[in-house]
Amino acid sequence: MDKGTYRVKTGFAEMFKGGVIMDVTTAEQARIAEEAGAVAVMALERVPADIRAHGGVARMADPQKIREIQEAVSIPVMAKVRIGHTAEARILEALGVDFIDESEVLTPADPFHHIDKWAFKVPFVCGCRDLGEAARRIAEGAAMIRTKGEAGTGNVIEAVRHMRLLNDQIRRLQGMSRAELVSYGKEIGAPVEVLELIQEQGRLPVVNFAAGGIATPADAALMRMLGADGVFVGSGIFKSADPEKRARAIVQACTHYDDPQVLAEVSTGLGEAMPGLAIEAIPEAELMQHR
Amino acid sequence: MTVGVLAVQGDVREHVRVLERLGVAVRPVLRPEHLKGLAGIVLPGGESTAMWRLMGPTGLGDALRRELREGLPALGTCAGMILLAREITNWPERYLGVLDIAVERNATGRQVDSFETTLSADGLGELPAVFIRAPLVRRTGPGVTVLARWGEAPVLVREGRVLGASFHPELTGDTRVHGLFLELCKERR
């Protein structure tokens, strides 16, 4: 009996496909997410919009918070660690967290490296803005990828940008010879072995969700149309006027993304969405995606 | 012969790949009208709570239950088996209720306890098996045959033309469980 194998990790990620993973900060919110049909919850101290507003250093959540949420729901519970913070990750693994998000939403801990994710039994999901970043994270052992977008903004443009870039680069890879692939790997900072795998499969070798700025059912549907396997919704649900209704609507939209009748129906009468932020209004140094 | 794969959420693509390798036409099932004329249906892995909530609004849940009661062959893996089960021991809901077993959700623990192993299955031989936060069968009705066990717990069961697996045969590249399912589909026709 082998635990924590790569197949067990990536296989688990396959089970999320078509689903919505929701940020929650309390047991009550976690139950709302589960009842709405979320495939997993992300246990957090604060949602990204509040992290952005609060400033300072954002860290892993208090284990007590994570335990409360684990006890509240039957669906998988994920939690975030700071980029490169191997000790926080060991703590989450010991708590029995089902998936770790090594996340740019928290303040990075290591200026040089990400976590060596092969060294863990628990699977990791990491953010990317393009193919180079995705390939590096996969080389480090990530079992799932999500495009970063710009978290806490309620503005989907960066999520779209990153998904389009990724798709475009994967497409370009298809026509390349071995020699071209090696130079391309150097150009985008991607390990050649991972690029070969992506070239062969015509897609990332792991599940890829969209994240960062998704606030409406239509946003979720748009990301699915662009090829995302599913979506993470951070601040978009619990910063809106009617979280229960919006959560249910985003879940339905994520599955029925190519059925405009369903999208029209679930988008109706949801109340105010979260307040949005123009990307240009955010000082360059405060953009999370560059972390 | 066309078989369906319930495609509201979960590892649909993996099942489609195995079935296509076995040479059958596959139709993703998202709405009640997609059930028409199917020789059988696969219910994939995923989150059973989410899958059920995605089957409600379109009426797919009720329509599928009717088809299954009329004898539509089915294979449910992991969450798919939970959807088929008559009883869930640690959860207040019940879904399609057409397979006479009681299952315990997440019975193998959290993800850090998920594992792969080899099972010995009646009529199929040694099977590679991936268990992910897997449900285990805690009771089987009189009409249910146990085809494989992990320790004491049944993990591959059959009642009539309905198969339930705690594990994910679609993740291993082994086609025997799906092969057995297709036999059941052919029998009915």
Side-chain angles (χ1 to χ4, degrees), chain B residues 15-163:
Chain B
H15 279 286
V16 170
R17 207 176 283 151
V18 179
L19 292 165
E20 286 180 346
R21 267 178 62 198
L22 290 170
V24 289
V26 184
R27 184 194 302 156
V29 174
L30 276 150
R31 307 180 59 86
E33 56 268 30
H34 300 156
L35 292 169
K36 206 168 177 323
L38 291 180
I41 187 164
V42 172
L43 286 68
E47 280 303 317
S48 54
T49 50
M51 287 157 81
W52 186 251
R53 281 154 182 75
L54 287 161
M55 295 164 75
T58 57
L60 177 58
D62 292 334
L64 177 55
R65 189 187 289 114
R66 270 196 305 279
E67 291 285 337
L68 291 165
R69 284 192 178 146
E70 283 167 20
L72 181 71
L75 163 65
T77 63
C78 195
M81 181 173 77
I82 296 172
L83 292 177
L84 292 170
R86 183 162 297 177
E87 187 190 339
I88 306 169
T89 63
N90 55 347
W91 188 246
E93 297 177 326
R94 177 184 116 138
Y95 306 116
L96 299 163
V98 295
L99 176 57
D100 190 10
I101 56 173
V103 295
E104 180 186 343
R105 285 182 66 202
N106 305 330
T108 62
R110 296 191 176 278
Q111 175 59 15
V112 286
D113 297 313
S114 293
F115 60 94
E116 35 185 314
T117 187
T118 305
L119 301 170
S120 171
D122 278 0
L124 300 177
E126 301 278 296
L127 280 181
V130 181
F131 288 81
I132 296 175
R133 288 170 48 95
L136 291 174
V137 177
R138 296 308 190 192
R139 179 189 67 74
T140 54
V144 175
T145 311
V146 176
L147 298 174
R149 290 177 192 272
W150 177 67
E152 293 295 297
V155 291
L156 180 62
V157 296
R158 174 183 170 181
E159 183 180 28
R161 295 195 178 92
V162 177
L163 288 166

